[in-house]
Amino acid sequence: MTQPAALSFARTAAEHPDPYFPRLHPRPAQGWINDPNGVSHVNGRYHVFFQYNPDSARHHRIQWGHVSSADLVHWEEHPVALKPQDGGPDDFGCWTGVVTVDGGVPTAAYSGVRADGGASQVVIARGSEDLVDWVQTGHVAASMPEDPQVTAVRDPFLFTFEGVRYAIQGAGLADGRAALLLYRVADMDAWEYLGIWLTTDNPVNAPANLAEIWECPQLVRIPDGEGGTAWLAMFSLWQKDDFHEHALGTGHLVGRMTADPETGLPVFTPVSGGRSDLGRDFYAPQIAQLKDAEDGTPRVLLSGWANEGPGRDGRRGRTQDEIDAAGWAGVLTHPRTLRLVDGRLEVAPFAEVDACRAGELSFTDRAVTLPAQGEASVVARAEAAVTVRLGETVLLREELAAGQELRVFVDASLLEIYRSGGVATTLRIYPQPGEELRVAFDGDALASAWTLALPEA
């Protein structure tokens, strides 16, 4: 069956009536979205799938939506990729997973859950060369482990170590710890369970260890800032009282990978860790391991989810009635890249987003008002401080040392703040009539600002 043609996100954004709807970050015009899935670069295009309910702005009967881009700026929306199969292992929803190319065939591995309340299983689907058409047969590659310690499992992620393909899944254990489960994946259709691999009782005292389940686990190689490679494990930190609020957000562990001398299996040894985003509106990121640069430097692409909802930390949000009336919920972040700087994780937007700079704005008395789509950059020449304010509310005040930069992006209701040498802050904002988003600085700094718009394709 021939699929409908892709939709230009530029047209979707231009025609959308809601002033809070993003104009630069791709998503369908209507419906609920959450976790990005299947983030990949295949045949010259970047693909981001995502948890999707096209029928309402609420989380229910989750499918996989799909957008793609050749340049990380101009995006197209494709038809739904994966749908729950009546009576199948995913009839309650097609949950988080990944996309890989297996034997030349695009292949999705995702968490499927039965409507009768069964445990999550790894379900396999095969896609067309352009990743638009998918065949779902309900094949299960891995079921719930027969391990009394494991009480919950979800969200498969694939990685390669010393030429061997492995997978991890996030898990919760009977004693309250979060864990990663390890699998060998010689055959995508039949995963070999190898046991509990890493838990929250590891020796690094990091925010990542506070979770009861490690959701959406990621494991990738990133530049270590010294010409080498470090391994980064990133987790979404689930607790039993979470309901799309996720107070703990995301965390990460940085470490090294070695082969066990007896079994040859990978051993991840964390050496440091921290929060992966300082905002309360960021969760469930997915990281794709891209092809290494020509000099061997590892490259990754991260996409994250910023949810709607009542205000957190005293900030204004949208009520459920307002969300229902708007008919949409959830935004994907800018594409982000990762590396270590002085041993700490740095999160930065891909350079491609600079193409959206449409016109320069002026700082007056060390302050600038950003429009609904805008960017400001402050680079400290000596000690400086930056304040981001919405109306009378201070959203952030950041102290900068000489040479540090703070970049502030706004796209309607999504605010992303990036700091050199550190992680980002992701917030949802809902300006009321007369409220302005202002970026101001004190001290010795260079400041620039721009209006943002999608460039001509």
Side-chain angles (χ1 to χ4, degrees):
M1 182 178 70
T2 302
Q3 289 274 29
L7 300 175
S8 165
F9 175 71
R11 181 174 178 179
T12 296
E15 295 177 351
H16 206 283
D18 189 343
Y20 295 136
F21 189 83
R23 266 57 184 174
L24 308 175
H25 294 72
R27 58 145 297 134
Q30 297 290 298
W32 164 283
I33 73 170
N34 58 293
D35 308 14
N37 301 146
V39 179
S40 51
H41 188 245
V42 179
N43 297 327
R45 288 190 73 83
Y46 297 94
H47 295 265
V48 179
F49 301 82
F50 47 87
Q51 304 281 274
Y52 182 34
N53 175 14
D55 298 324
S56 83
R58 298 195 180 207
H59 185 262
H60 177 67
R61 197 165 171 79
I62 291 298
Q63 309 175 27
W64 272 30
H66 179 198
V67 295
S68 75
S69 172
D71 60 6
L72 295 175
V73 174
H74 300 95
W75 293 87
E76 294 182 341
E77 179 191 347
H78 301 283
V80 167
L82 303 178
K83 297 181 179 180
Q85 303 166 83
D86 291 337
D90 55 8
D91 58 354
F92 186 63
C94 300
W95 306 94
T96 295
V98 294
V99 166
T100 188
V101 177
D102 180 53
V105 179
T107 302
Y110 61 96
S111 290
V113 180
R114 300 188 65 91
D116 58 12
S120 172
Q121 302 182 94
V122 178
V123 183
I124 302 297
R126 310 284 179 179
S128 58
E129 185 177 357
D130 60 5
L131 281 68
V132 172
D133 298 291
W134 290 84
V135 175
Q136 295 173 258
T137 63
H139 179 80
V140 173
S143 297
M144 182 78 170
E146 294 181 2
D147 185 336
Q149 296 182 81
V150 179
T151 57
V153 62
R154 61 190 65 159
D155 308 335
F157 184 84
L158 295 164
F159 71 97
T160 300
F161 176 68
E162 295 192 346
V164 178
R165 183 171 59 191
Y166 296 93
I168 51 176
Q169 288 203 83
L173 304 182
D175 59 11
R177 292 177 298 162
L180 293 182
L181 310 183
L182 183 66
Y183 300 77
R184 185 165 26 224
V185 188
D187 181 351
M188 279 294 292
D189 289 330
W191 295 18
E192 179 187 0
Y193 176 59
L194 299 174
I196 297 169
W197 192 53
L198 184 71
T199 73
T200 47
D201 63 0
N202 70 80
V204 175
N205 183 20
N209 293 332
L210 300 176
E212 295 173 45
I213 296 177
W214 276 335
E215 290 196 309
C216 306
Q218 318 290 309
L219 187 65
V220 294
R221 297 178 298 110
I222 63 172
D224 67 1
E226 300 177 354
T229 296
W231 283 84
L232 173 77
M234 188 175 289
F235 318 91
S236 294
L237 309 179
W238 185 92
Q239 292 182 313
K240 62 179 179 296
D241 295 329
D242 283 354
F243 184 72
H244 307 308
E245 290 293 327
H246 310 300
L248 293 180
T250 58
H252 62 269
L253 297 170
V254 176
R256 57 183 180 271
M257 194 87 83
T258 57
D260 183 280
E262 295 184 2
T263 66
L265 296 178
V267 176
F268 174 68
T269 304
V271 296
S272 65
R275 293 185 65 185
S276 305
D277 193 282
L278 302 182
R280 278 286 298 272
D281 299 321
F282 179 85
Y283 197 73
Q286 185 168 100
I287 311 172
Q289 188 86 63
L290 302 178
K291 183 179 179 181
D292 288 355
E294 291 185 3
D295 64 359
T297 301
R299 299 169 56 244
V300 297
L301 167 64
L302 179 149
S303 178
W305 163 51
N307 62 316
E308 313 287 327
R312 289 161 290 278
D313 301 337
R315 291 180 287 109
R316 182 188 304 113
R318 272 184 153 173
T319 67
Q320 187 61 59
D321 286 345
E322 289 172 328
I323 294 169
D324 291 339
W328 66 277
V331 181
L332 299 174
T333 68
H334 270 321
R336 300 175 176 183
T337 186
L338 310 173
R339 64 172 183 165
L340 295 185
V341 175
D342 296 328
R344 295 186 300 273
L345 180 64
E346 180 185 79
V347 178
F350 263 66
E352 282 82 346
V353 303
D354 291 354
C356 293
R357 291 173 177 171
E360 194 161 357
L361 299 170
S362 296
F363 273 75
T364 302
D365 295 329
R366 301 189 175 195
V368 67
T369 297
L370 290 181
Q373 283 73 41
E375 175 192 354
S377 165
V378 179
V379 180
R381 293 188 293 194
E383 290 185 358
V386 180
T387 302
V388 182
R389 185 188 304 269
L390 178 62
E392 298 301 315
T393 302
V394 174
L395 301 177
L396 177 140
R397 181 169 174 81
E398 186 90 4
E399 304 289 335
L400 301 181
Q404 288 187 312
E405 180 183 19
L406 196 76
R407 298 179 69 184
V408 180
F409 293 83
V410 62
D411 183 9
S413 58
L414 178 62
L415 183 67
E416 297 178 75
I417 302 172
Y418 298 90
R419 49 185 61 79
S420 57
V423 300
T425 296
T426 305
L427 301 171
R428 298 302 301 278
I429 58 172
Y430 306 87
Q432 300 300 292
E435 284 189 327
E436 294 180 333
L437 182 67
R438 299 269 289 174
V439 178
F441 70 93
D442 302 312
D444 188 2
L446 297 173
S448 304
W450 300 267
T451 61
L452 300 178
L454 288 175
E456 292 292 330

